[in-house]
Amino acid sequence: MNFNPSCQKSKNCANSELPAFVKGDVPECPALHYFAVKALSCFAGFSHEEAQIIAEYAQFLGDNATSAGLPVEEITEELNEKKLYFNSETGILVPIIPTSMKTWYNETEIETKIPWFGASAGDKRTYDTITDILRPFHFYPPSSPSNPGDPPVVRFNPSNLHNRLTEIEKEAQKAEGHPGTDLLMKIGVYIHILADTMLHERFCAERTWQNLKRLVTALDENGNRIIYTPYKDYGFSTLEKYPCGIQQIGKVVHDSYVDYEYIFPRGVHELADKLDYSGHLTPVNSHRYTDACEIILRFLTNCIPDSSFDETNWKQTLKPKLRSVFATGNGTFNELKKAWKKEFNYAYEYDAGAVYKRLMEGDSSKTTDPERLKEFYDYTLLLYNIKQEI
């Protein structure tokens, strides 16, 4: 059932100028979110076209910082029920939900409320960067915190997320090998969320002392030291205001080829009059990324009817190849493309702007907005529902 909340045709239509695409300043870990996901999806048994949609959405979630309203003539009953529209002076607007920051971990952006439809639209609803962008899509919280009274830090593949993935597997099995774009989109978005529970393990979207993790050293694949600058350095903080997410440790967690060492407080008692913390970890990103890929591949395999995870092939072939390609370094998209194509001979093409344009323009062969913009409407509802489930 379609619904026009203004009881008349909107003044805007498919020919209206699209809201400008706003991309986050730094792509969030394309080696894992796009390249690895594309290879793993193909390996699991999805077609190349299906794998591309999965990988596009796994990456797009970390790229789209657009907050605006798309002018439409009609919405679906479900969008109406969830109030995912606004009757502006020029017609009906459906929110374009941002899932990335414009400038990652910028202090001013974190503290500034973001209007759903732009500052001039007149709607009073706003997004909060921590609770509406970072928390649901990049720091998916477990169902209960490790320390009562503290915000929940991220754990890799927590039980509440695992249960949600199991539901998606069952949904995919019912598709009997013919998943629609809406299902492929859902698989890709949840893979991004799953991967981020590895990338951001032991961190928290909310401001908390638990994010006071200080980088000691970082080495590239050749053992050369790399200097990482924090997004914002809170020192050995005794302040009430703490960093959010990876604001202090910086993007070291997003570079697949880095081995690093960091220290962290084991409790608030270590924040008083101290210049050091007793907690100490030495992650190897190529290993951590590969461990995440095993969980991702098991999930993808379970989405394919009559398919099973090949333990031998994983241990003897896929695992060492993934470790190798993750350890070779990041670089530009074309450099990553060359490295991944050498190890996994699939087609790798991703353009965040093209994905955005496809969503906004829809299928021109369809006559009504709910048909033409089905992919965008499905995406909007998916993001909204994820925010409601945590």
Side-chain angles (χ1 to χ4, degrees):
M1 178 179 178
N2 302 333
F3 183 77
N4 189 305
S6 63
C7 299
Q8 59 185 1
K9 288 292 183 181
S10 168
K11 297 176 185 177
N12 288 330
C13 63
N15 297 320
S16 299
E17 184 176 346
L18 298 178
F21 175 50
V22 179
K23 186 179 180 182
D25 62 328
V26 179
E28 192 188 32
C29 199
L32 179 60
H33 287 136
Y34 175 71
F35 287 94
V37 171
K38 176 68 181 285
L40 293 169
S41 298
C42 290
F43 194 85
F46 287 94
S47 71
H48 288 263
E49 293 77 14
E50 292 166 346
Q52 178 65 19
I53 294 172
I54 292 171
E56 281 181 345
Y57 275 107
Q59 183 63 48
F60 189 69
L61 201 74
D63 287 339
N64 181 35
T66 312
S67 176
L70 180 68
V72 302
E73 294 184 348
E74 288 181 281
I75 61 173
T76 63
E77 186 63 33
E78 191 170 4
L79 287 171
N80 172 56
E81 289 174 355
K82 298 181 186 302
K83 307 299 182 186
L84 290 171
Y85 70 90
F86 175 59
N87 273 324
S88 71
E89 292 182 355
T90 55
I92 308 166
L93 300 176
V94 174
I96 302 168
I97 299 175
T99 53
S100 164
M101 293 185 66
K102 295 177 183 177
T103 305
W104 282 105
Y105 301 101
N106 175 271
E107 187 72 18
T108 301
E109 188 173 342
I110 291 170
E111 294 297 329
T112 303
K113 300 295 184 181
I114 307 168
W116 273 33
F117 302 98
S120 62
D123 186 82
K124 302 299 183 184
R125 287 171 287 184
T126 58
Y127 301 112
D128 177 84
T129 296
I130 290 177
T131 57
D132 291 315
I133 296 176
L134 295 178
R135 190 171 189 262
F137 305 121
H138 307 287
F139 293 84
Y140 195 93
S143 54
S144 59
S146 301
N147 301 310
D150 288 328
V153 297
V154 172
R155 295 198 291 266
F156 180 36
N157 193 21
S159 59
N160 53 330
L161 178 57
H162 176 77
N163 292 340
R164 186 72 187 94
L165 297 177
T166 300
E167 293 173 3
I168 296 171
E169 291 169 0
K170 293 176 181 178
E171 187 178 346
Q173 289 282 341
K174 290 180 181 178
E176 297 182 341
H178 302 284
T181 299
D182 57 338
L183 180 54
L184 298 171
M185 168 199 303
K186 183 184 294 186
I187 291 170
V189 164
Y190 272 94
I191 284 176
H192 181 110
I193 292 170
L194 171 62
D196 273 8
T197 65
M198 178 279 295
L199 292 174
H200 303 151
E201 190 175 15
R202 299 186 180 89
F203 293 86
C204 178
E206 286 83 353
R207 295 189 183 278
T208 173
W209 63 270
Q210 296 167 100
N211 292 327
L212 289 167
K213 296 176 171 65
R214 297 191 62 80
L215 190 63
V216 176
T217 187
L219 304 176
D220 68 13
E221 69 273 26
N222 298 314
N224 300 315
R225 187 173 181 183
I226 310 171
I227 303 299
Y228 284 92
T229 303
Y231 293 103
K232 182 175 175 62
D233 193 348
Y234 285 80
F236 293 87
S237 181
T238 58
L239 304 175
E240 291 183 5
K241 188 175 183 180
Y242 298 122
C244 73
I246 59 171
Q247 198 176 22
Q248 178 155 304
I249 200 169
K251 69 180 292 290
V252 64
V253 300
H254 289 165
D255 286 342
S256 68
Y257 58 95
V258 180
D259 301 354
Y260 58 103
E261 176 185 4
Y262 71 85
I263 57 175
F264 59 93
R266 294 186 181 275
V268 292
H269 64 280
E270 291 197 2
L271 305 185
D273 301 319
K274 285 184 67 70
L275 295 177
D276 202 355
Y277 298 140
S278 65
H280 174 265
L281 284 172
T282 56
V284 178
N285 276 351
S286 61
H287 291 196
R288 295 177 66 238
Y289 282 37
T290 303
D291 290 344
C293 284
E294 179 180 359
I295 303 301
I296 292 169
L297 180 58
R298 288 181 183 276
F299 166 59
L300 288 165
T301 302
N302 288 340
C303 290
I304 302 290
D306 303 318
S307 185
S308 60
F309 185 82
D310 190 332
E311 298 280 356
T312 302
N313 198 28
W314 167 256
K315 292 177 181 178
Q316 296 182 0
T317 304
L318 198 53
K319 182 176 180 178
K321 288 178 70 173
L322 284 165
R323 279 194 178 179
S324 174
V325 72
F326 280 136
T328 57
N330 278 9
T332 66
F333 184 90
N334 285 334
E335 288 169 339
L336 283 168
K337 179 178 176 180
K338 183 177 180 180
W340 280 85
K341 194 166 182 61
K342 180 180 178 182
E343 290 290 351
F344 302 94
N345 191 24
Y346 301 120
Y348 299 101
E349 297 295 340
Y350 170 76
D351 181 342
V355 176
Y356 177 82
K357 185 178 181 182
R358 185 181 76 220
L359 279 169
M360 298 301 106
E361 292 184 345
D363 184 348
S364 60
S365 68
K366 305 298 183 182
T367 56
T368 68
D369 279 349
E371 294 174 316
R372 180 176 66 87
L373 296 170
K374 184 179 185 305
E375 187 173 1
F376 170 63
Y377 286 1
D378 287 342
Y379 187 57
T380 302
L381 287 164
L382 173 62
L383 299 182
Y384 174 84
N385 289 334
I386 289 171
K387 290 202 280 189
Q388 301 308 304
E389 73 186 36
I390 61 173

